[in-house]
Amino acid sequence: MGIVEIWSNLWSFMASIMFVYVMYGQFLPYNLLEYIEKYTRKLTNIVNPYVEINFFEKSGDSFEHDETYELIQTYLSANSSQNAKRLTAKIVKESKHHETPRVLLTLGDYEEIIENFKGIKVWWLANRTHPKTPNSYEQRFLTLTFHKNHRDLITTSYIQHVLEQGKAITMKNRQLKLYTNKPSDYMGKPKWSHTTFQHPACFETLAMEPCKKEEIINDLIMFSKGKEYYNRIGKAWKLGYLLFGPPGTGKSTMISAIANFMNYDVYDLELTSVLDNNELKKLLIDTSSKSIIVIEDIDCSLDLTSQRKNEEEDEEEEEVVKKKSYNNKSDVTLSSLLNFIDGIWSACGGERIIIFTTNFVDKLDPALIRRGRMDKHIEMSYCGYQAFKILAKNYLDVESHDELFPIIEKLLGETNMTPADVAENLIPKSINDDFQTCLNNLIQSLHTSKQKAEEKA
Ligand SMILES: Nc1ncnc2c1ncn2[C@@H]1O[C@H](COP(=O)(O)OP(=O)(O)OP(=O)(O)O)[C@@H](O)[C@H]1O
Ligand SMILES: [Mg+2]
């Protein structure tokens, strides 16, 4: 008789015992049940060449949800659930603002699936405990079974692989959140409130010089490769951007594109609602990993400038400042903001991108923008020809036009128009407007803008 046969006979014997145990267990005294179970297990262990590892749904003193169990569930749902016949559907509603809930399929009770890892077979069984006393609770758990010869590989590489994949899938599926800070409550505690972040912006539709865009994307990919990679190349694992440029050049759009690309939450920090340094510290500590902390219009929210405004400054600039300044500037100081930001980078393993935006880069304190603190100063400028081509593709689905494109190229070189204004002109104004009408509207508008600039000059 071969070893496999012996094992399968023994297994059916065990199964019969288990059957009797389940059927008549309730009629037997508790001590006797425990005795039978103990010796059945002992007997099984002697001949069983398989190792079992259980992962419980809840663990710890307070019986909390175990993250490991969740990650394995996610991994199995994505990788092997197509082989399972009985599945349990769970509706995941990310937030009250999120209208379409997601369906998460997990293994049904006692469902078993087989996985192959580097040619090694492993079994996963969705199990549940049977409460033995009236006071004990039923608990779900997943059992991983494999041959004892592969113990080392499975307990290290395979489990690691499952958890990493589970984490990656969770990150990919999660609904991004947009956090904004609220003034302190009556307890003096500042708070973040959040809604779902649903902005369609992506790098593909962002209008800017292709090489500049490529550089940022490469930066982000490097950053996402993580700490070890950065250590290896001898660079600090942090990312800070300063986006500057006139209104309507796509600074906020760029932030949304970065959030979507990285799959990071966004913390929009409104400094004017932060009372003092202490509050700022609490808020920053309260941000989660894999997030972007944004401070928009940094020049308007903090008293950063040592120089007073020049009387002869451009009227248009004045207008913007007036629009964006707030009466009540907070007591947050520049030096504490910088300290906390440096602190966040060193203490939190760097999984936070910090982005400042401003319309006037010259007004910022050099300490804030010195190279090394902000890794890149990205100028979002008026619409150039390359940026226009991206907008034309997005808005009109046109990639070239022998006659009109060269005119637009010339005019864009002669006058300043923001991508927001170019985009506005490209949107059809009536149902009969075809793409040529829209391009002509833009040309008209560029002419007007050029004339105005000349008159002003
Ligand atoms: N570079 C761009 N690419 C694609 N769309 C753009 C770009 N710039 C502006 N837009 C369009 O114009 C709108 C306004 O742009 P956005 O809010 O990003 O400008 P901003 O630079 O943040 O301006 P502000 O300084 O006033 O905050 C966006 O919703 C987008 O539709
Ligand atoms: Mg903006």
Side-chain angles (χ1 to χ4, degrees):
M1 205 188 282
I3 185 80
V4 177
E5 253 174 288
I6 295 175
W7 176 242
S8 74
N9 285 346
L10 191 76
W11 191 242
S12 54
F13 171 64
M14 295 304 170
S16 319
I17 292 185
M18 287 314 284
F19 177 73
V20 173
Y21 173 80
V22 171
M23 286 298 289
Y24 301 103
Q26 50 184 317
F27 305 116
L28 298 175
Y30 179 65
N31 283 352
L32 182 60
L33 282 178
E34 209 171 22
Y35 189 79
I36 294 175
E37 191 175 333
K38 189 172 149 195
Y39 281 95
T40 318
R41 279 195 194 286
K42 264 196 173 169
L43 192 64
T44 322
N45 286 347
I46 295 169
V47 275
N48 184 358
Y50 292 94
V51 180
E52 278 184 5
I53 303 178
N54 292 325
F55 297 89
F56 285 87
E57 186 181 14
K58 289 173 185 156
S59 62
D61 293 342
S62 52
F63 229 48
E64 282 170 356
H65 263 272
D66 195 318
E67 199 198 3
T68 315
Y69 178 88
E70 299 284 340
L71 292 178
I72 299 171
Q73 281 268 33
T74 311
Y75 169 83
L76 293 178
S77 308
N79 285 276
S80 309
S81 61
Q82 56 270 44
N83 303 328
K85 297 219 172 79
R86 270 178 309 117
L87 295 160
T88 308
K90 199 165 115 188
I91 307 295
V92 194
K93 202 157 191 294
E94 304 291 350
S95 82
K96 58 177 188 267
H97 305 285
H98 196 223
E99 276 159 22
T100 42
R102 208 157 46 83
V103 179
L104 182 73
L105 294 177
T106 54
L107 289 187
D109 284 346
Y110 307 113
E111 187 70 14
E112 189 182 59
I113 49 169
I114 300 170
E115 271 238 309
N116 230 311
F117 180 68
K118 297 187 177 167
I120 299 165
K121 219 175 185 185
V122 299
W123 292 260
W124 282 102
L125 175 68
N127 237 325
R128 54 167 70 218
T129 55
H130 301 282
K132 288 174 185 158
T133 59
N135 292 337
S136 54
Y137 297 96
E138 186 184 72
Q139 230 212 115
R140 284 167 204 278
F141 62 101
L142 289 160
T143 305
L144 169 66
T145 310
F146 51 90
H147 198 281
K148 63 182 180 197
N149 288 352
H150 308 301
R151 191 188 199 110
D152 282 349
L153 188 76
I154 299 296
T155 51
T156 52
S157 308
Y158 177 66
I159 295 180
Q160 185 72 17
H161 160 82
V162 170
L163 296 180
E164 276 169 10
Q165 290 285 310
K167 194 147 211 165
I169 299 163
T170 313
M171 289 303 291
K172 208 172 108 225
N173 286 345
R174 82 195 172 123
Q175 181 64 49
L176 297 188
K177 294 193 181 98
L178 171 66
Y179 292 85
T180 41
N181 56 310
K182 288 203 274 193
S184 317
D185 58 16
Y186 65 98
M187 300 278 281
K189 219 177 144 215
K191 271 216 178 91
W192 290 108
S193 62
H194 68 83
T195 73
T196 0
F197 175 85
Q198 279 173 314
H199 196 292
C202 62
F203 277 112
E204 212 171 55
T205 57
L206 184 73
M208 69 186 293
E209 295 286 319
C211 58
K212 254 167 123 181
K213 201 182 335 186
E214 201 62 29
E215 204 183 305
I216 297 167
I217 294 175
N218 284 340
D219 235 22
L220 294 171
I221 293 174
M222 282 252 291
F223 184 73
S224 64
K225 286 193 180 168
K227 199 170 194 159
E228 276 158 40
Y229 182 75
Y230 269 72
N231 274 347
R232 195 148 47 82
I233 60 168
K235 197 171 176 290
W237 188 33
K238 68 180 193 61
L239 200 57
Y241 284 157
L242 171 77
L243 305 182
F244 67 97
T249 47
K251 298 180 291 299
S252 307
T253 313
M254 161 80 92
I255 295 170
S256 304
I258 295 178
N260 284 328
F261 183 77
M262 298 295 281
N263 225 342
Y264 278 15
D265 291 329
V266 177
Y267 286 85
D268 191 358
L269 182 59
E270 178 56 75
L271 279 184
T272 49
S273 316
V274 184
L275 262 188
D276 52 24
N277 294 333
N278 203 20
E279 244 189 56
L280 176 69
K281 191 171 163 187
K282 283 185 197 154
L283 281 168
L284 287 179
I285 289 173
D286 211 17
T287 56
S288 65
S289 166
K290 296 202 185 291
S291 59
I292 304 175
I293 301 169
V294 180
I295 305 180
E296 289 249 34
D297 302 315
I298 183 118
D299 50 306
C300 301
S301 30
L302 263 189
D303 204 4
L304 301 172
T305 48
S306 37
Q307 301 151 335
R308 298 254 66 219
K309 261 180 73 64
N310 190 338
E311 293 280 305
E312 291 149 61
E313 252 175 327
D314 200 359
E315 259 174 51
E316 234 173 89
E317 274 190 18
E318 285 273 12
E319 189 80 339
V320 176
V321 174
K322 250 187 252 158
K323 220 167 59 192
K324 287 184 170 173
S325 310
Y326 304 91
N327 301 333
N328 55 331
K329 289 200 171 170
S330 71
D331 283 340
V332 173
T333 60
L334 172 65
S335 72
S336 57
L337 175 69
L338 299 180
N339 281 339
F340 297 148
I341 284 176
D342 287 346
I344 271 261
W345 267 321
S346 54
C348 306
E351 283 197 86
R352 284 163 181 79
I353 299 176
I354 295 180
I355 303 182
F356 294 148
T357 78
T358 180
N359 293 127
F360 311 107
V361 72
D362 308 337
K363 290 185 181 174
L364 298 185
D365 193 299
L368 181 70
I369 56 171
R370 76 167 160 77
R371 302 262 164 194
R373 173 161 283 128
M374 286 293 129
D375 297 87
K376 267 203 173 67
H377 296 179
I378 302 168
E379 181 173 13
M380 302 299 289
S381 49
Y382 291 108
C383 192
Y385 181 58
Q386 295 299 333
F388 155 74
K389 276 171 57 174
I390 297 170
L391 292 173
K393 173 92 182 65
N394 293 346
Y395 285 79
L396 304 173
D397 202 18
V398 180
E399 293 193 50
S400 66
H401 191 284
D402 291 345
E403 199 189 314
L404 299 178
F405 270 37
I407 302 176
I408 293 171
E409 181 175 9
K410 185 165 173 287
L411 281 167
L412 282 173
E414 292 166 354
T415 184
N416 288 336
M417 188 176 270
T418 61
D421 287 338
V422 172
E424 186 61 32
N425 280 299
L426 291 180
I427 295 174
K429 302 288 177 303
S430 86
I431 197 138
N432 301 322
D433 282 1
D434 61 1
F435 76 90
Q436 299 207 20
T437 319
C438 297
L439 289 176
N440 278 316
N441 286 345
L442 174 63
I443 291 174
Q444 193 58 46
S445 203
L446 282 167
H447 272 303
T448 318
S449 145
K450 189 180 155 192
Q451 250 170 20
K452 268 193 191 162
E454 278 167 1
E455 277 164 23
K456 212 170 176 184

